[in-house]
Amino acid sequence: MLSVGACTGMADQRFDLVVIGGGASGCSVAYEAVRRGLRVALLEGHDLGSGTSCRSTKLLHGGVRYLELAFKTADLAQLRLVREALLERGHWLDQAPFLAQRLELALPSDCRLGQAYYRIGLGLYDALSGRAGIGSSRLLSSKQLQQALPLLRPDVRRGVAYSDGQFDDARLNLLLALTAERAGAVLRTRTKVRELERNSQGQICAAISENHKGEQERWEARAVVNATGIHADAIRRMADPNCSMRMLTSRGVHLVLRANLCPEGLGLLLPSTDDGRVLFMLPFFGRTLVGTTDTPCTQASAAAPSEDEQNYLIDYVKRWFPDLGQPDVGSCWAGGRPLLKPAGAEVNSSRVVREHEVETLNSGLISVMGGKWTTCRPMALDTLKAVEEQFGSPLPDPAALPLIGADQDPKRTSTLLKEQVCALERLLPETSLRDQQRAHLQASFGLEAAALVASWSENDREPLSDVIPVCRGELRHAISAEHACTATDVLARRCRLAMVDQDEAQRLLPQVQVLLEEAGMASPNTPRELNLSC
């Protein structure tokens, strides 16, 4: 901990709010803060969303398993979490329809009693969403299941389908940050906070950062927010070396199969495995996303999928889709969930409530901890309440600030996206991938897609891959306008290709390296290999 005046000679900038951490919670805090007129700096030690926030199961959901736990354990906290998350699911489906869409999932059942049990539970799940509902659950016959999931084992004779949301987690994370930046926030990546500074009253008044070149800066602020997910305790210990550790880390592993097991767009939820975990098999860029495990782990191993966990997932794919043969895995990755440790309790991570908590230490450091992707906005709003208390005065009402790619009136976004289709079809090259490329560009850039494509040369519009039809223009844009500094930033988080098919991303790696060098982003220290663990 630095005392006042310890950082003379460094660049010194003053803000209302410094946010440490560029994942879902940190970017949401920055976004909501600039809406209220605050001068904000967002500091991220790596790439935006490079930790947990790009490694989710890609579901905007209330959590069916949390609803079941709520009733089995009479736990109102679980029920509140489900209700809150369902409302937030509706919010993102409305605000960013190009990033988030409705997805139907099937719960298989081996008997009519089990089917009735799921139907009643999912009816309550629908009811909890209230006006934010996106469709009613329905019974599925054997014929309907086999039509939607043709390789599903034939003894599955019935099920229940229900609706949730599916989204591009890394892209939403990025657009929250870029929207805040466009509205005036200062955004720095590869900028690690090394120390916190106190004023003469012992209150945190600044953060001291160091970038990848070893250059230090001092960020003075009226309030400092710690939004570093599984690493929250490290920042808390900077503010108070004696504070108790609060974070548990659980690793979730995902596989992406090259086979499309969900050709009709109906995902599969296995509500109870042999060891009580929940597994999803979901449509994902024309492939199948399988996950997730839930294994207590160290922070250092959170992004490293173990062989046992991979085999666990593959075993369940074989059980439920026996005619598939040996699954062909295109990509595998893992992420750590930030779970809050209940005071004085030893709790298995699969049973920890995914609620969040906003803590203010005596030194003034505000930490937002726990939670999940779907509830990042309530986490941000609760964080700003703590900021308000620290300021001692209410914050201004939020101004309208649509997400980049959405219309000023979000209700018009879907209509305007349809109107943009013709413009994109005129701009894009006539290839067999044109429809796929148009959908991909709209899913990435929303209503800004046509203007961006028009700014690229015809050569830069040519699709480079038939897995995800990325083009050189969007790769350049990721580097010049989206804070991408490495090939992994570009291929894993800006366009998701490496998360879908690592071999295909590796094929494009030399082209991305050339673009990084042209932009002056490559250096002797720049990683030249893809690394999905960072």
Side-chain angles (χ1 to χ4, degrees):
M1 178 71 68
L2 294 179
S3 61
V4 132
C7 305
T8 56
M10 280 185 281
D12 192 349
Q13 305 187 63
R14 293 177 173 83
F15 297 87
D16 294 313
L17 191 64
V18 166
V19 181
I20 307 170
S25 57
C27 291
S28 295
V29 170
Y31 170 80
E32 293 295 342
V34 297
R35 291 184 64 206
R36 289 155 177 80
L38 299 186
R39 172 113 169 104
V40 178
L42 177 64
L43 310 179
E44 165 55 44
H46 300 283
D47 183 30
L48 292 165
S50 59
T52 300
S53 297
C54 77
R55 304 164 190 275
S56 75
T57 311
K58 324 302 175 197
L59 290 176
L60 290 167
H61 63 143
V64 169
R65 68 169 173 168
Y66 301 125
L67 179 64
E68 187 174 29
L69 275 174
F71 283 93
K72 284 185 175 180
T73 62
D75 188 346
L76 290 179
Q78 299 275 12
L79 195 61
R80 286 195 301 269
L81 178 68
V82 173
R83 166 68 173 168
E84 179 181 65
L86 286 171
L87 296 178
E88 291 304 302
R89 178 192 70 182
H91 170 82
W92 290 117
L93 289 169
D94 287 342
Q95 295 296 310
F98 57 100
L99 289 176
Q101 300 82 33
R102 175 179 172 269
L103 172 71
E104 243 192 345
L105 296 97
L107 275 80
S109 173
D110 57 3
C111 65
R112 293 190 183 279
L113 184 61
Q115 188 182 37
Y117 173 77
Y118 290 144
R119 181 68 181 86
I120 292 169
L122 290 169
L124 178 59
Y125 191 70
D126 297 336
L128 282 171
S129 61
R131 294 182 179 179
I134 56 174
S136 299
S137 54
R138 60 189 178 94
L139 298 177
L140 292 173
S141 66
S142 175
K143 182 179 179 180
Q144 288 172 315
L145 277 169
Q146 292 299 322
Q147 180 177 342
L149 303 165
L151 293 180
L152 187 68
R153 69 189 197 203
D155 63 324
V156 181
R157 301 186 180 281
R158 54 184 59 83
V160 180
Y162 75 100
S163 297
D164 257 327
Q166 188 175 38
F167 77 124
D168 186 334
D169 52 3
R171 198 77 201 167
L172 179 54
N173 194 135
L174 174 70
L175 292 184
L176 283 167
L178 295 180
T179 304
E181 183 180 42
R182 191 177 287 186
V186 174
L187 173 56
R188 296 285 178 84
T189 62
R190 267 82 185 179
T191 299
K192 296 185 179 181
V193 171
R194 297 298 189 188
E195 296 183 82
L196 299 174
E197 180 184 326
R198 293 179 188 263
N199 62 19
S200 57
Q201 287 79 46
Q203 296 296 294
I204 301 296
C205 64
I208 311 303
S209 71
E210 182 177 85
N211 65 19
H212 65 287
K213 297 178 182 179
E215 299 166 338
Q216 291 193 330
E217 287 182 282
R218 178 177 182 272
W219 306 82
E220 184 175 334
R222 297 170 64 195
V224 175
V225 169
N226 169 22
T228 53
I230 64 174
H231 305 292
D233 282 334
I235 302 297
R236 294 173 67 243
R237 285 290 176 99
M238 286 185 191
D240 180 0
N242 297 317
C243 69
S244 61
M245 305 291 275
R246 294 294 312 278
M247 303 307 300
L248 292 169
T249 304
S250 171
R251 181 174 56 225
V253 172
H254 298 79
L255 304 176
V256 180
L257 308 182
R258 290 193 170 96
N260 185 358
L261 299 177
C262 311
E264 300 296 319
L266 179 71
L268 182 68
L269 165 60
L270 305 182
S272 183
T273 59
D274 294 344
D275 55 5
R277 291 188 272 194
V278 172
L279 291 185
F280 294 93
M281 300 182 190
L282 308 172
F284 187 61
F285 290 97
R287 309 288 178 95
T288 307
L289 175 64
V290 182
T292 177
T293 58
D294 187 6
T295 307
C297 66
T298 64
Q299 291 180 10
S301 65
S306 73
E307 186 174 346
D308 285 346
E309 288 169 303
Q310 295 176 61
N311 290 335
Y312 174 89
L313 293 175
I314 289 172
D315 176 63
Y316 273 94
V317 172
K318 290 179 176 179
R319 287 195 207 183
W320 287 85
F321 295 89
D323 292 341
L324 176 65
Q326 182 63 29
D328 184 7
V329 178
S331 187
C332 178
W333 31 272
R337 297 183 183 90
L339 305 176
L340 269 177
K341 181 180 179 181
E346 291 295 330
V347 179
N348 182 289
S349 66
S350 66
R351 295 295 305 275
V352 173
V353 177
R354 297 291 298 278
E355 283 187 308
H356 66 270
E357 180 182 323
V358 178
E359 169 199 74
T360 302
L361 294 175
N362 291 334
S363 61
L365 178 70
I366 299 168
S367 296
V368 53
M369 301 176 290
K372 62 179 194 171
W373 231 122
T374 309
T375 57
C376 64
R377 190 175 69 111
M379 292 168 68
L381 298 179
D382 286 348
T383 302
L384 291 181
K385 289 178 184 176
V387 170
E388 204 169 48
E389 290 177 10
Q390 196 161 121
F391 286 178
S393 60
L395 297 178
D397 291 336
L401 183 61
L403 202 67
I404 289 174
D407 187 64
Q408 192 71 27
D409 178 1
K411 293 179 181 179
R412 299 183 64 233
T413 300
S414 293
T415 299
L416 294 175
L417 286 169
K418 293 175 184 176
E419 294 175 3
Q420 185 180 235
V421 168
C422 292
L424 283 171
E425 288 180 345
R426 287 194 300 270
L427 290 165
L428 294 174
E430 293 188 16
T431 70
S432 60
L433 296 173
R434 186 166 69 170
D435 288 346
Q436 187 181 345
Q437 187 179 17
R438 172 192 54 74
H440 160 69
L441 288 165
Q442 285 199 306
S444 295
F445 303 107
L447 296 177
E448 297 199 348
L452 277 174
V453 174
S455 71
W456 302 334
S457 70
E458 290 189 11
N459 187 52
D460 278 357
R461 300 175 195 175
E462 292 286 337
L464 302 175
S465 170
D466 60 4
V467 176
I468 297 179
V470 296
C471 64
R472 197 169 287 104
E474 65 185 287
L475 300 181
R476 290 187 196 276
H477 181 75
I479 296 165
S480 66
E482 296 182 343
H483 296 273
C485 299
T486 71
T488 302
D489 296 349
V490 175
L491 292 171
R493 288 178 284 276
R494 300 306 182 272
C495 73
R496 311 322 308 272
L497 182 62
M499 306 294 275
V500 176
D501 193 314
Q502 288 173 281
D503 289 345
E504 184 70 355
Q506 193 69 34
R507 184 181 69 81
L508 294 188
L509 181 61
Q511 295 191 52
V512 175
Q513 289 292 357
V514 169
L515 296 177
L516 287 166
E517 290 166 7
E518 288 177 357
M521 300 296 292
S523 70
N525 296 323
T526 302
R528 293 186 174 271
E529 298 293 332
L530 292 171
N531 185 357
L532 298 191
S533 296
C534 69

